[in-house]
Amino acid sequence: DTAVSQTPKYLVTQMGNDKSIKCEQNLGHDTMYWYKQDSKKFLKIMFSYNNKELIINETVPNRFSPKSPDKAHLNLHINSLELGDSAVYFCASSQDPGQMNTGELFFGEGSRLTVL
Amino acid sequence: AQSVTQLDSHVSVSEGTPVLLRCNYSSSYSPSLFWYVQHPNKGLQLLLKYTSAATLVKGINGFEAEFKKSETSFHLTKPSAHMSDAAEYFCVVTSYSSASKIIFGSGTRLSIRP
């Protein structure tokens, strides 16, 4: 009964490839997020969706494209992978109405992407 | 504008001794403040949160934090460290008036010596 689940947990791929990471939450939350955590543990928000609508789109290369087929899913597709994309990507969700972000975030266990 | 500063990148304490992880924030409006813990190869988990109720907040696993507006601080403490407390800790600030902004600190790695 995992609350926020991400797949795959580990992903090793070559430069130039395209890959996707999937995220699903069974908490009934309206808002979902993608975060990138670098090797120094620094967390940076990439995207946020509220009820399938994009509400945060931070300065992220166009090679990154989120897709939310419904409010329980938020997938991340990455084109033309580069070495610098190597990181741990975390999906999260919250009950907040998106514009306030004062509530608790529930995180998945992360997807470790290694680009060779 | 909001920001959060975790003053120590690494803290090491002996098992059974007190823990203090420091966090200072900056916010133009009434902030909500959180501490999250991340164990190795795991996602982040909420330890505790302050949302303008009691200034002393108790969390899970014996942790607590005190909101001090005059010092713009929200330090995390625990009276007696346990080996299982070894992890990365993140201080987080959000604001009612700042749309879609959740600001994470840079993290403090807590090590526990036997």
Side-chain angles (χ1 to χ4, degrees), chain A residues 37 56 90 98 101-102 105 108, chain B residues 34 36 38 43 46 90 94 99-100:
Chain A
Q37 186 175 49
I56 298 176
F90 284 99
N101 290 305
T102 57
L105 288 169
Chain B
F34 305 78
Y36 285 83
Q38 183 182 22
L46 182 71
F90 293 93
T94 71
S100 307

Side-chain angles (χ1 to χ4, degrees), chain A residues 9-10 33 35 37 40-43 55-56 58 90 98-105 107-110 112, chain B residues 32 34 36 38 41-46 49 51 88 90 94-96 98-102 104-106:
Chain A
K9 189 165 184 176
Y10 299 97
Y33 311 79
Y35 283 84
Q37 186 175 49
K40 295 184 178 174
K41 302 293 186 183
F42 184 71
L43 271 161
I55 55 171
I56 298 176
E58 293 293 310
F90 284 99
Q99 294 300 314
M100 299 181 71
N101 290 305
T102 57
E104 177 180 356
L105 288 169
F107 283 84
E109 295 214 332
R112 182 177 294 275
Chain B
S32 293
F34 305 78
Y36 285 83
Q38 183 182 22
N41 299 314
K42 295 290 186 184
L44 283 75
Q45 178 188 15
L46 182 71
K49 64 180 178 181
T51 53
E88 192 86 20
F90 293 93
T94 71
S95 168
Y96 283 103
S98 181
S100 307
K101 284 295 185 183
I102 304 173
F104 277 78
S106 53

Side-chain angles (χ1 to χ4, degrees), chain B residues 25 31-35 48-50 67 73-74 91-94:
Chain B
Y25 71 92
S32 293
L33 292 154
F34 305 78
W35 276 99
L48 49 81
K49 64 180 178 181
Y50 165 79
F67 173 71
S73 69
F74 190 58
C91 184
V92 177
V93 63
T94 71

Side-chain angles (χ1 to χ4, degrees), chain A residues 25-112:
Chain A
Q25 55 97 1
N26 63 6
L27 298 166
H29 289 166
D30 292 326
T31 308
M32 295 184 71
Y33 311 79
W34 276 111
Y35 283 84
K36 180 180 180 181
Q37 186 175 49
D38 63 22
S39 57
K40 295 184 178 174
K41 302 293 186 183
F42 184 71
L43 271 161
K44 179 183 173 183
I45 190 165
M46 301 173 70
F47 303 103
S48 175
Y49 272 72
N50 177 252
N51 244 329
K52 302 194 299 175
E53 182 182 341
L54 181 65
I55 55 171
I56 298 176
N57 186 357
E58 293 293 310
T59 307
V60 174
N62 291 338
R63 299 181 294 103
F64 290 80
S65 54
K67 285 190 171 51
S68 182
D70 55 61
K71 75 172 194 177
H73 295 84
L74 180 61
N75 303 324
L76 182 66
H77 188 75
I78 316 169
N79 289 328
S80 304
L81 279 156
E82 300 178 357
L83 292 176
D85 298 333
S86 295
V88 182
Y89 293 85
F90 284 99
C91 178
S93 72
S94 72
Q95 188 50 59
D96 290 327
Q99 294 300 314
M100 299 181 71
N101 290 305
T102 57
E104 177 180 356
L105 288 169
F106 291 79
F107 283 84
E109 295 214 332
S111 297
R112 182 177 294 275

Side-chain angles (χ1 to χ4, degrees), chain B residues 13-33:
Chain B
V13 302
S14 297
E15 190 175 19
T17 64
V19 174
L20 170 64
L21 304 183
R22 298 182 293 165
C23 173
N24 285 99
Y25 71 92
S26 170
S27 179
S28 303
Y29 303 92
S30 298
S32 293
L33 292 154

